[in-house]
Amino acid sequence: MSSDQSQTAYAASAADLALRALDALHGIGGTAMAAEHVEGADDPKAALAAIRVVGADLFAPCLLGEAVFSPQDAVAVAQSFAVFPTAVSTPPPPPEGAAEPWLIAWRDWATATLLARFTGAGATDAGATAEPVDAFGTPDPSGTLGASGPGPGEGVLAPRPTGAPALSDPDQAPGTGTPRAADADTGWQRWSVRMGQLSPLALPELDSPVRDAARAAPLALARGATRAVLRRDFPTAARITRWLALLSAEGVPVPFDPVPLVEHLRLHGGGPRLALDVAIAGRLLALELETP
């Protein structure tokens, strides 16, 4: 399979898994969506990669709905870390390091943290009680997992990165950014996009420096969501809106009511990933969360 074909297969698998998560959030489908996704896949490795792409949002039906996280799904999520292990050390935040590895590290941390929360395991043994499987979903009683990486109980699945997206001035008006904001990629426009890239962290149970950054800058998030809608970049708008919805659920004052924005985004379709982000934002707005 060529590189382009592999990327297409991975993207299609991630879209299919996002649809399964959306159905589960609505109370539709089976009780082990991730495991069923892997078991029914023509390319199990692509299916395991999809688990990492959808990431923490696989837990949204449990956090925001009435779904129960299944042991089979714990196996599938842990196996995705075994087949696609994280880096030994966390990458530095930008501008010291590249943005993409750092963003991936935060999203992986969110997935591993929720896996540990729902399996009752510690950060170093999340998924250790689940039956090991190999890269193709076949039971592997030896727990060796071939050469694909460490078993679910060996070491931290995804250590927490340092830092959070930096905003030059949370209260600055548009067009008044300092030279440092432009040079260091910390103006509200780019900052809000980066927060959108970290939207899987906009879920209950995931307190972090990224969440603190969102709490400190609701105005910048509101500007970013509005800008994305005006540019008809609805996926980015939905991701940023998730943060506004979470802040609203926590009782943090936001510049406008996110409900009409969520309803507006719901009308635009755009595929399972966008629909899942919008549905999560809608569920968050129906909650009243205590701020940690």
Side-chain angles (χ1 to χ4, degrees), residues 6-278:
S6 296
Q7 291 179 358
T8 300
Y10 281 29
S13 187
D16 179 66
L17 184 55
L19 182 59
R20 288 176 183 265
L22 179 63
D23 285 345
L25 190 60
H26 292 153
I28 304 170
T31 58
M33 58 176 167
E36 291 171 359
H37 178 70
V38 175
E39 290 169 2
D42 294 331
D43 184 347
K45 190 173 182 180
L48 290 169
I51 290 175
R52 298 291 285 283
V53 172
V54 179
D57 289 340
L58 290 172
F59 299 87
C62 304
L63 292 166
L64 305 174
E66 298 180 355
V68 176
F69 191 67
S70 73
Q72 294 89 346
D73 277 352
V75 171
V77 175
Q79 183 61 18
S80 74
F81 280 95
V83 175
F84 300 101
T86 60
V88 175
S89 59
T90 58
E96 290 81 8
E100 189 60 27
W102 181 73
L103 293 169
I104 291 172
W106 265 121
R107 294 193 292 259
D108 284 343
W109 170 82
T111 305
T113 297
L114 290 178
L115 177 62
R117 183 246 192 254
F118 279 101
T119 58
T124 60
D125 61 356
T129 59
E131 180 185 10
V133 294
D134 65 17
F136 300 97
T138 304
D140 179 25
S142 69
T144 59
L145 300 172
S148 58
E154 297 175 10
V156 178
L157 289 181
R160 192 172 91 164
T162 59
L167 179 62
S168 55
D169 182 355
D171 298 317
Q172 70 174 336
T176 63
T178 63
R180 180 183 178 277
D183 294 341
D185 199 24
T186 59
W188 66 267
Q189 296 96 330
R190 293 181 178 176
W191 177 85
S192 61
V193 170
R194 187 151 290 169
M195 289 296 291
Q197 293 169 326
L198 292 170
S199 63
L201 278 69
L203 285 171
E205 310 289 341
L206 286 175
D207 204 36
S208 69
V210 177
R211 193 161 169 177
D212 292 340
R215 293 189 187 111
L219 180 58
L221 289 169
R223 288 171 176 158
T226 302
R227 178 175 181 265
V229 170
L230 293 175
R231 293 164 63 93
R232 302 187 66 82
D233 183 357
F234 300 121
T236 296
R239 290 191 288 266
I240 299 172
T241 300
R242 285 180 54 172
W243 285 110
L244 292 170
L246 179 64
L247 296 183
S248 181
E250 290 183 339
V252 177
V254 295
F256 56 73
D257 183 0
V259 173
L261 178 55
V262 171
E263 292 302 319
H264 177 74
L265 292 169
R266 200 189 308 274
L267 299 175
H268 285 280
R273 179 68 257 186
L274 173 58
L276 179 59
D277 284 326
V278 173

